[in-house]
Amino acid sequence: MSLVVRARRVVLPGGERAAAVHTRDGVVTAVTAFDDVPPGAVTLADDEVLIPGLVDSHVHVNEPGRTEWEGFASATRAAAAGGITTIVDMPLNSVPATTTLDALRVKREVAAGQVAVDVAFWGGAVPGNLAELRPMHEAGVVGFKCFLLDSGVPEFPPLDDAGLRAALAELAAFDGLLIAHAEDEAVIDAAPEPAGASYAAFLASRPPAAEETAIGRLVAATRDTGARSHVVHLADGDALPLLRAARSDGVRVTVETCPHYLTFAAEDVPDGDTAYKCCPPIREAAHREALWAALAAGDVDLVVSDHSPCTPELKRLDVGDFGLAWGGIAGLQVTLPAVWTGARARGIPLPQVVGWMAEAPARLAGLPGKGAIAVGRDADLVAFAPDEPFAVGRLEHRNPVTPYAGRELTGVVRRTWLRGREADGSPLGRLLGRGDR
Ligand SMILES: [Zn+2]
């Protein structure tokens, strides 16, 4: 099976140029001049750019156990529609949580045969499962997630400082990766409680200092153990100097942020609209702009969705109470247009955005076949119309709640190919392990 796609603009590892991408059996075999194509090649429209399929290393699928929140079929259909050809499933909110080798087997069995894009898995590091980490690593998880405060679900408890250091020391032995939800419980306990519909009160209940304190603990433990760690969903621009200093000292810590922190600002969140509730919270515009500047400077490595849906009932839209609502934002399908809309407005070129959303998350997750249009990589391709505006309408994920509803964005995903085949929502996806190509 061979597919050749050419475009006047193709985003390649070295930048953007006119090219033809030749593939065979789902793998890129050559990148040639635009005119060097066999009969039957697909030529993109003049307003389309060919980019690599994106890699989203932060998706909560929630199946099995909380499949009414989200499931493998609906989440991966949303991914395909959004130009994302690989997702990495988070270890919590499903039951069982992926904290044992047996639970990993359960997850893989449930996912098999129903995924529309490729799927890899994070394991979880929780109190008492140290002996499971190496077996899960050997079975192909891409790394381990931990929480430094209550996760919101009882089956995924947080690590205290001793537990964090023990997990990092264990992972250092096989160069495994620990990713952390970095907010500090003590700082949050000392802050005022969230109260009703007030977004300002919710924001005050989870102050930036909670992120800085937890990131400080993570950095110190990473430095002392020599392990690799990663900060998920950074919302706090004031934590950037701390991370920058640690990285320049050689501490092996990477960091991601998410589309909602780059798109929205606390000043604009309507009171009572709990579709915007996530933890850490969407902060003021000054934090958003600091995150954009850090991305542009290379101080934040990647942008991934943190797609974390639940049922409309649990979002408590009926009462609009930020204290009661589940925290998590659903928007997997609009990750690319949301980030691109913000980048475009700030004069950031598309290849840089693709770097944050394809190459960098593929590297984080250790998926060498993914993340770029290059010989030997999977033929995961997206036809993207970067200048076409649209309003966010019906999305493919299971529950329709999203703060992006009705929002005007720019950049439309017109076609997605997964390993050389049209990713049309049918179950073409594979389950991947770390290092698979
Ligand atoms: Zn998450």
Side-chain angles (χ1 to χ4, degrees), residues 254-266:
T254 51
V255 56
E256 73 187 32
T257 190
C258 306
H260 35 282
Y261 303 126
L262 297 169
T263 301
F264 305 117

Side-chain angles (χ1 to χ4, degrees), residues 58 60 145 233 306:
H58 195 151
H60 295 267
K145 169 93 175 269
H233 53 49
D306 193 10

Side-chain angles (χ1 to χ4, degrees), residues 3 41 68 87 92 101 124 175-176 182 186 195 247 251 365-366 369 381 390 416 427 431 437:
L3 168 76
E68 70 278 15
I87 65 168
L92 74 156
L101 187 58
D175 204 29
R247 286 152 65 104
V251 178
L381 304 170
F390 73 104
T416 303
L431 305 185
R437 1 193 6 133

